Amino acid sequence: MSEFVIRPATSADIDGLITVHAAAFHDKFLAAFGIRQLGTGLLLMAETWRRQGSAGLNGMWVVVDGATIVATIALRARITMRQLPAVPVEWLFIKKLGFLRALYALTILSVIDHPVGYDELYISDVAVHPTYQRRGIARIMLTHALAEAQRLNLRSLCLYVSANNHAACALYQSAGYQPTYTHRSLLAWVATRRWRWLLMVRSVQPSPRVGEQPHANNV
């Protein structure tokens, strides 16, 4: 039986990250780049990560099965965010795609974003390769996110999920997340044919100190 391990992403993981994202977020990438330039777009994303270095992968975690990357999750907190290097990666997209297509692609790729609060951990890029879905990996990543929020003494976890993704909504609710806001986006509809997105939030209890009785949680 496979034993999945979650660890921080490194530059050596970039190709594996792209493989997982290409499979899990195919519809969004297809909308951003089009069928003819999909391969070029994925190469540009990999090159962007390489040029940004470790700062670009800050907060990105991978789940591995042996040497194979099978899932990813990004955890963003204000107290751990790093300043990205002043590397003009946009010109890479413009050079390969042209100005208008590059602008469109970059807009679609960042269509659902969230200004991270001082006391919260924002979860994004939750991706499990289709071959490994329904094996409890998403719950492993949510458990890890909770532990990170507790380690950083943050008060809440939050994420966006499509209102039409009923399986994901049920998973998050079973892990203690509740919908607090509905975001409607025409651009998201263009990218994924889903325009209603729920901001789901879970409060975080502090980690018990030595000698204290641990509190039960929903993960």
Side-chain angles (χ1 to χ4, degrees), residues 5-37:
V5 175
I6 187 167
R7 60 168 175 76
T10 70
S11 58
D13 297 323
I14 290 175
D15 289 339
L17 284 166
I18 292 296
T19 297
V20 172
H21 283 198
F25 304 139
H26 178 75
D27 290 347
K28 183 170 75 170
F29 292 152
L30 191 61
F33 300 115
I35 187 64
R36 293 184 178 180
Q37 295 180 305

Side-chain angles (χ1 to χ4, degrees), residues 139-193:
R139 194 168 291 277
I140 290 172
M141 293 192 290
L142 291 179
T143 300
H144 175 74
L146 175 61
E148 279 294 288
Q150 291 175 324
R151 182 180 70 83
L152 296 171
N153 293 316
L154 300 174
R155 297 180 61 185
S156 66
L157 288 153
C158 62
L159 55 86
Y160 268 108
V161 61
S162 167
N164 293 332
N165 192 340
H166 302 300
C169 289
L171 169 67
Y172 295 137
Q173 286 186 309
S174 72
Y177 293 77
Q178 295 297 325
T180 61
Y181 171 73
T182 300
H183 175 68
R184 293 172 173 84
S185 170
L186 182 59
L187 280 175
W189 182 86
V190 170
T192 64
R193 293 300 185 266

Side-chain angles (χ1 to χ4, degrees), residues 27-206:
D27 290 347
K28 183 170 75 170
F29 292 152
L30 191 61
F33 300 115
I35 187 64
R36 293 184 178 180
Q37 295 180 305
L38 179 58
T40 299
L42 295 175
L43 290 175
L44 287 169
M45 292 175 58
E47 183 61 20
T48 295
W49 262 331
R50 290 190 177 96
R51 288 173 179 258
Q52 290 175 338
S54 60
L57 294 173
N58 182 44
M60 181 70 74
W61 297 76
V62 295
V63 178
V64 295
D65 178 17
T68 303
I69 296 174
V70 301
T72 74
I73 187 171
L75 306 177
R76 293 167 50 195
R78 280 172 96 63
I79 61 175
T80 61
M81 285 182 181
R82 300 179 191 170
Q83 183 71 33
L84 288 175
V87 179
V89 295
E90 289 80 9
W91 75 268
L92 292 173
F93 283 76
I94 295 171
K95 182 178 180 180
K96 292 291 186 179
L97 304 176
F99 178 78
L100 292 179
R101 187 71 199 188
L103 178 63
Y104 175 81
L106 291 169
T107 301
I108 290 295
L109 292 174
S110 59
V111 66
I112 300 295
D113 202 2
H114 177 73
V116 182
Y118 284 98
D119 60 351
E120 69 182 7
L121 185 67
Y122 178 61
I123 301 173
S124 66
D125 297 329
V126 180
V128 180
H129 194 281
T131 304
Y132 285 84
Q133 290 177 358
R134 298 179 179 85
R135 295 174 64 176
I137 295 175
R139 194 168 291 277
I140 290 172
M141 293 192 290
L142 291 179
T143 300
H144 175 74
L146 175 61
E148 279 294 288
Q150 291 175 324
R151 182 180 70 83
L152 296 171
N153 293 316
L154 300 174
R155 297 180 61 185
S156 66
L157 288 153
C158 62
L159 55 86
Y160 268 108
V161 61
S162 167
N164 293 332
N165 192 340
H166 302 300
C169 289
L171 169 67
Y172 295 137
Q173 286 186 309
S174 72
Y177 293 77
Q178 295 297 325
T180 61
Y181 171 73
T182 300
H183 175 68
R184 293 172 173 84
S185 170
L186 182 59
L187 280 175
W189 182 86
V190 170
T192 64
R193 293 300 185 266
R194 297 175 177 181
W195 83 300
R196 289 178 58 244
W197 295 78
L198 304 177
L199 179 65
M200 303 193 74
V201 179
R202 169 195 172 132
S203 61
V204 176
Q205 298 296 325

